[in-house]
Amino acid sequence: MTTLTQLPDDYVQNPHDVHDMLRAEGPVQEVHMPRGLKVWLVTRYDEAKIALTAPQVSKNIMEGGHLMAVHSPPNGDVRREIEPTLAVHMLNMDPPHHTRLRKLVTKAFTARRIELMRPRVQEIAAELIAKLNDGDEVDLLEAFAFPLPITVICELLGIPIDNRDDFREWSNQLLSFGTPEQVQAAASAMAGFLFQHVTTIAEAEPNDTFFSALVHADDSGDRLNTEELISMAFLLLVAGHETTVNLIGNAVLSLLRNPDQLQILKDRPELIPASTEEFLRLEGPVNVATFRYTREDLELGGVTVPAGEILMVSLVAANRDPEKYADADQLDVTRSAQGHVAFGHGIHFCLGAPLARLEFDVALTQLLARFPNLTLAAEPETLVWRDSTLIRGLHTLPVRLA
């Protein structure tokens, strides 16, 4: 067992060295997260896949709620006071409730419906790039990586794009280490807005838009109630843009730090769709997956995690396990990175993965076609990563367009 009990305060700035040390010690260790929460952290690939699907592990937020209080440090409460109407979504449920919700949502979120969105995603990306000019120095997240997916998801949900800055602020507060008051204020604001939106859509006649299909989805008389719709809209809104924003940002940074790999994609842009998997593997947008709780003792690689514990899986660490991928810390856009767990594994595999892949393909293709010689406009060591163990993403990505 490693002697490391407290992850360093700068863990979010460079988790990879910490993961390497933990992985060398064993597949899972009991650690204190940067804000003091005691968890069992999984860092190896094989054990991560087991932990993500093991029947001894629960995602039921109500079942695990008391554990959060038990393991909170004496010097501060690390729990998040989540608005109840934002918490009753699939990510916080086990079967059969998860099965029911996923079945209803899948009816409105088919692969065919997503692929039909490609022309519109291409149009949005082109409009954003048209606003940029050679020689400009911009924050690529602000100018391109954020507005592309937030515009797409707002259109999917029928939400006025004028609200996108509010959503970004609320999302940042909910996913980062804000004060309890900041988190509660953001959750209340988000829940209030989504309640009004769901009510408006529910009272209107059904149409062929995505969110209308979700609101009116029916399976043998079963449909989502208002609370479930609010929570589902919240999940889709936050996950629907956070994943792609950070996938684009992390990938562009990786390319700018590896000019040989950037040159390969410039020479062979047809490789971009397949290279998506390598960017997801190397520096995926989610570091540590959301909370799980052990209902029973769980053995992971010879280590027993006792019942009644918080179990967290680092997707980023699992994807860099050298036992799974050769030269795991190196970017190789020609690598077959299939099998990564950047979108999770098992029944909680990300429902929006096809949309994130489509958006990334369009974004990187158009960006490199228009600005093939873009460069980083800051020293890599000065870039700051967001203060979140869930999200792996930069605050800003300054680039010079050329």
Side-chain angles (χ1 to χ4, degrees):
M1 180 69 68
T2 178
T3 57
L4 177 66
T5 57
Q6 174 71 51
L7 298 190
D9 290 340
D10 63 350
Y11 168 71
V12 298
Q13 299 306 314
N14 183 19
H16 304 306
D17 288 346
V18 177
H19 294 159
D20 289 345
M21 180 169 55
L22 291 173
R23 199 188 300 109
E25 294 285 342
V28 55
Q29 284 88 26
E30 191 174 22
V31 303
H32 285 88
M33 301 299 283
R35 294 301 186 272
L37 184 66
K38 184 173 76 71
V39 308
W40 289 78
L41 185 63
V42 183
T43 52
R44 289 186 185 172
Y45 179 86
D46 288 342
E47 285 73 20
K49 292 190 75 173
I50 293 171
L52 292 170
T53 58
Q56 300 97 320
V57 178
S58 172
K59 291 221 69 186
N60 188 328
I61 194 169
M62 299 308 295
E63 181 176 304
H66 68 285
L67 299 174
M68 298 287 282
V70 169
H71 295 304
S72 295
N75 61 341
D77 184 2
V78 299
R79 289 173 295 173
R80 298 303 176 92
E81 299 300 326
I82 300 174
E83 191 75 19
T85 52
L86 300 183
V88 290
H89 54 69
M90 300 180 298
L91 211 55
N92 291 333
M93 292 183 178
D94 301 321
H97 301 300
H98 170 272
T99 308
R100 169 183 167 265
L101 290 182
R102 182 132 184 162
K103 183 177 181 180
L104 287 167
V105 175
T106 300
K107 286 179 175 294
F109 212 86
T110 63
R112 176 179 176 275
R113 186 185 289 270
I114 296 303
E115 186 54 36
L116 289 173
M117 293 171 57
R118 183 177 292 273
R120 178 56 183 149
V121 175
Q122 291 172 329
E123 183 180 26
I124 295 168
E127 290 171 355
L128 292 169
I129 286 179
K131 298 176 182 178
L132 306 176
N133 302 295
D134 283 331
D136 284 354
E137 186 173 311
V138 301
D139 173 8
L140 192 67
L141 301 185
E142 187 70 32
F144 184 61
F146 168 70
L148 172 61
I150 195 65
T151 301
V152 173
I153 200 66
C154 280
E155 289 188 1
L156 270 174
L157 297 178
I159 292 173
I161 196 61
D162 294 345
N163 297 104
R164 71 182 188 184
D165 290 335
D166 290 334
F167 295 137
R168 189 179 195 183
E169 177 62 26
W170 298 335
S171 178
N172 283 340
Q173 291 292 350
L174 291 169
L175 299 179
S176 301
F177 291 119
T179 66
E181 293 77 19
Q182 290 172 325
V183 172
Q184 183 59 50
S188 297
M190 180 80 86
F193 177 88
L194 292 176
F195 172 78
Q196 292 297 329
H197 182 61
V198 167
T199 301
T200 299
I201 299 296
E203 292 175 348
E205 286 295 316
N207 55 50
D208 61 356
T209 61
F210 169 84
F211 197 59
S212 177
L214 183 61
V215 170
H216 298 284
D218 190 290
D219 184 71
S220 302
D222 184 22
R223 64 172 55 190
L224 299 172
N225 62 38
T226 299
E227 187 177 62
E228 291 167 339
L229 284 166
I230 293 170
S231 194
M232 192 64 67
F234 164 70
L235 176 62
L236 294 173
L237 181 62
V238 173
H241 83 270
E242 286 284 1
T243 301
T244 308
V245 171
N246 298 305
L247 175 56
I248 294 171
N250 297 355
V252 171
L253 175 61
S254 295
L255 286 172
L256 296 181
R257 299 187 70 177
N258 294 272
D260 60 323
Q261 299 298 303
L262 175 58
Q263 190 62 49
I264 291 174
L265 293 186
K266 284 160 52 174
D267 293 341
R268 301 177 61 193
E270 71 273 9
L271 293 179
I272 289 177
S275 74
T276 305
E277 308 312 315
E278 173 67 351
F279 292 115
L280 284 163
R281 182 201 68 80
L282 183 75
E283 198 77 86
V286 176
N287 175 8
V288 178
T290 50
F291 287 104
R292 285 166 166 79
Y293 314 95
T294 49
R295 289 173 169 150
E296 308 168 21
D297 288 359
L298 175 67
E299 184 174 320
L300 293 172
V303 178
T304 299
V305 180
E309 296 288 332
I310 299 174
L311 183 68
M312 301 189 77
V313 179
S314 173
L315 306 179
V316 165
N319 284 333
R320 289 192 178 214
D321 187 341
E323 293 296 317
K324 173 63 178 177
Y325 297 102
D327 300 318
D329 291 331
Q330 302 301 313
L331 175 66
D332 180 359
V333 296
T334 66
R335 183 200 306 263
S336 175
Q338 297 297 323
H340 66 75
V341 291
F343 286 125
H345 178 61
I347 64 171
H348 290 287
F349 183 85
C350 179
L351 186 71
L355 178 59
R357 287 181 167 116
L358 185 155
E359 290 173 331
F360 178 78
D361 176 13
V362 169
L364 193 60
T365 298
Q366 293 200 19
L367 184 67
L368 295 187
R370 176 65 181 86
F371 300 110
N373 298 314
L374 81 166
T375 56
L376 194 60
E379 293 301 319
E381 59 271 16
T382 65
L383 299 177
V384 178
W385 295 86
R386 287 170 57 182
D387 194 14
S388 169
T389 53
L390 172 64
I391 294 299
R392 179 67 177 160
L394 294 163
H395 271 291
T396 62
L397 179 57
V399 299
R400 187 170 294 106
L401 303 172

